Amino acid sequence: MSIAAQREASVAACTVWCGWLESRTLTRHNCINIRFPASGGLYVWEFERRDRQVNVRVDGQAIFNTSPHIVLAALDGLGIALLPEEEFAPHIEEGRLVRVLQDWCPVFSLAADAPRM
């Protein structure tokens, strides 16, 4: 099993995002969440900056159980989304999504053969 470093990315559609955001105000924004199929629970967003960890339970009008649907919802402007950076990379590069809370999105280790969302 190989280990790869990966960064989380929180993003919003360029057409709807024009604000300032920090982790403590995230709950005031419409967010796109993920539901774990096995447990039915919602993902608690995890952030870290300068050794300070923050877990945030977000709300929003859209909840999905697969990452492609979350990406599409972010592109459609349904809210702020959080997934591994690689899920959003082409859309960020093309200017359709913008990063938010970038300094709070940690790099984490991921086993290369770990299951994906």
Side-chain angles (χ1 to χ4, degrees), residues 54-66:
V54 177
N55 294 331
V56 182
R57 292 188 185 276
V58 299
D59 290 314
Q61 62 189 15
I63 300 171
F64 299 98
N65 61 5
T66 62

Side-chain angles (χ1 to χ4, degrees), residues 14-62:
C14 292
T15 56
V16 298
W17 185 254
C18 60
W20 176 79
L21 179 69
E22 59 182 49
S23 63
R24 69 175 182 247
T25 63
L26 187 59
T27 57
R28 298 182 201 153
H29 296 274
N30 202 26
C31 297
I32 303 162
N33 212 336
I34 190 159
R35 182 177 305 279
F36 294 111
S39 68
L42 295 178
Y43 179 67
V44 175
W45 292 18
E46 301 171 32
F47 297 98
E48 183 178 329
R49 182 173 71 177
R50 290 185 229 125
D51 296 326
R52 180 173 169 227
Q53 296 180 344
V54 177
N55 294 331
V56 182
R57 292 188 185 276
V58 299
D59 290 314
Q61 62 189 15

